[in-house]
Amino acid sequence: MSRRTRTDPGDAALRTTGVRESFADVSDAALVLAIARYRHEALAEAYRRHAGAVFGLARRLLNDQVLAEEIVQEVFLRLWNDPDRFDPLRGTLRSYLLAHTHGRAVDLLRSEGARRMREERDARRTAEGGYDVEHEVSDMATADQVRRSMDRLPPPERVAIELAYFGGYTYREVASRLGEPEGTIKSRIRSGLKRLRGELVSAGLTVGEG
């Protein structure tokens, strides 16, 4: 049987005040069942239990309080709209919410890096108004090859390189955003650049040692 379309429960549903006592002691799985029955109080109790952990992870990954708060709202709105996605047999509600938080944070980091790349590329093109078409086509082809080679890197190495080289962050900032030690990030970047250099040489591009 199809479910009717849900809407945003609003801020009132995400406040912890006024949570009915009947939901205070129930399990997370029971909370999700109540959420599936459109019980705002159950969503508020789930928010009370897990919003702090969700915000903490988002804040650590993004290093931006406003974006972290937006992700918290998005994660719990998704729980409200699609409670059936949670399977208690596959893990806890907190791990489910944190997994979604991590995915959305990584998506935001990548989109922000891509936006900065476009802005920098446009700025260079504006400054180099006399750049000829032949060289521009060559640069576009090279950039496309770099992107394809980047996509073949292991995700931890690719994300670290994207943040450091395309996002403009320092190693320390990348480590802070990803919640990893700075030494680990440096090691991933070195390993990723080595792989990337091999990919580009195999594709026939001249790559300097660095």
Side-chain angles (χ1 to χ4, degrees), residues 193 197 207-210:
L193 289 177
R197 185 177 295 111
V207 182
E209 295 292 331

Side-chain angles (χ1 to χ4, degrees), residues 79-98:
L79 178 63
W80 172 255
N81 284 328
D82 295 300
D84 294 339
R85 288 179 176 269
F86 170 64
D87 183 355
L89 298 179
R90 299 181 60 183
T92 65
L93 178 59
R94 176 166 293 197
S95 64
Y96 168 79
L97 295 173
L98 291 179

Side-chain angles (χ1 to χ4, degrees), residues 1-208:
M1 183 171 65
S2 62
R3 300 173 60 87
R4 67 181 174 84
T5 302
R6 288 165 171 261
T7 57
D8 189 332
D11 291 340
L14 297 183
R15 288 198 294 264
T16 60
T17 58
V19 176
R20 292 185 182 178
E21 191 67 27
S22 59
F23 288 113
D25 299 319
V26 302
S27 67
D28 281 348
L31 280 181
V32 176
L33 288 177
I35 290 170
R37 297 187 177 99
Y38 305 95
R39 299 297 299 274
H40 287 168
E41 303 91 344
L43 180 65
E45 175 63 18
Y47 186 92
R48 184 189 69 79
R49 294 180 188 181
H50 304 298
V54 169
F55 175 80
L57 177 60
R59 180 72 173 80
R60 187 166 68 251
L61 292 174
L62 297 171
N63 198 29
D64 186 304
Q65 181 170 337
V66 174
L67 290 179
E69 290 172 349
E70 290 178 359
I71 284 186
V72 171
Q73 295 296 320
E74 183 177 332
V75 165
F76 282 91
L77 179 59
R78 184 190 190 193
L79 178 63
W80 172 255
N81 284 328
D82 295 300
D84 294 339
R85 288 179 176 269
F86 170 64
D87 183 355
L89 298 179
R90 299 181 60 183
T92 65
L93 178 59
R94 176 166 293 197
S95 64
Y96 168 79
L97 295 173
L98 291 179
H100 182 44
T101 300
H102 184 274
R104 286 296 299 123
V106 171
D107 287 344
L108 280 177
L109 288 173
R110 288 176 175 170
S111 64
E112 179 66 14
R115 181 188 64 79
R116 292 188 181 189
M117 285 179 61
R118 288 194 299 270
E119 290 179 352
E120 290 173 2
R121 184 170 62 244
D122 290 344
R124 286 197 302 270
R125 287 177 177 173
T126 300
E128 300 169 359
Y131 201 67
D132 63 81
V133 175
E134 181 180 354
H135 286 160
E136 184 171 350
V137 170
S138 176
D139 277 358
M140 290 173 64
T142 301
D144 187 56
Q145 180 60 52
V146 170
R147 175 52 57 188
R148 288 198 299 269
S149 298
M150 284 284 293
D151 288 342
R152 287 193 283 270
L153 294 178
E157 295 177 358
R158 183 177 67 247
V159 172
I161 291 174
E162 286 175 342
L163 289 172
Y165 287 88
F166 302 143
Y169 296 102
T170 66
Y171 288 168
R172 179 171 298 178
E173 289 170 338
V174 173
S176 175
R177 284 177 171 266
L178 298 182
E180 299 280 2
E182 186 175 350
T184 299
I185 294 301
K186 289 180 178 179
S187 178
R188 286 180 184 172
I189 290 175
R190 283 196 299 268
S191 177
L193 289 177
K194 184 176 180 180
R195 295 179 199 270
L196 182 61
R197 185 177 295 111
E199 289 277 354
L200 295 176
V201 170
S202 298
L205 297 178
T206 301
V207 182

